[in-house]
Amino acid sequence: YVHESTPAAATFIASCATERGFRAVVSSSPYVMRKNGSTLNPDLIVFINLSGEAFDVNDHRLNDHLAAGRPILGLHACLASFLDGEDAVGGTKLGHKTNLISEIFGCHFVNHPPPQKGVCIVDHKAVSKIFGDSAVEADLPKIDRVEVYDEFFNYTRSVRNDPDTTVLVSLDECTYTGGEMGQDHPIIWTKEKPGQGKIFYCGLGHFDHLY
């Protein structure tokens, strides 16, 4: 499945990188992820709405990248890659062909209800812990609950109690239909394992307007 928002997301991420003095390389080729053969050595890897078998799980640079202290950012359908079936809408639950995504981000996609409005709950203490008070005050209004129109994923598990993991935003399943994780449904989180690169995942991002 190819998300129509992918060009908007790639443009947004590339613009953010350029503004910060980095050179952005945007590619849909699986070869850029190869441990052997690719000449790229990125400071940051960003997965934007991956789909299918996005790269060779037996020849990839992710573990070496993290071990070198370099971060990985995953957006929306990044966790819906390497599935064992077609994109699942509604109650159909999908499995996955590799544990690699779960090992990196903490869980994998299961299914999702149709796009609709739902409420995201922002943990401002957690956000301040990760990004600092000054950055939060400048960029994030002090609003605890934000209504968003998006495609809300269900995941194999909650990452809230995982070591080195901080949940920044959760979904309130009482505000939309089709949620299957109950009262603990993280949607944005970060992992900071000592000695490795940081990992950040945002489950929002199905539509252009979110970028």
Side-chain angles (χ1 to χ4, degrees), residues 16-32:
C16 290
T18 301
E19 289 174 0
R20 289 159 176 78
F22 294 96
R23 181 176 67 92
V25 177
V26 180
S27 177
S28 60
S29 171
Y31 296 105
V32 300

Side-chain angles (χ1 to χ4, degrees), residues 69-83:
R70 296 173 177 172
I72 294 175
L73 166 62
L75 295 177
H76 191 51
C78 165
L79 267 59
S81 54
F82 300 100
L83 298 175

Side-chain angles (χ1 to χ4, degrees), residues 171-184:
L171 289 175
D172 183 351
E173 290 194 356
C174 295
T175 63
Y176 71 98
T177 60
E180 299 180 352
M181 297 179 66
Q183 296 182 356
D184 186 14

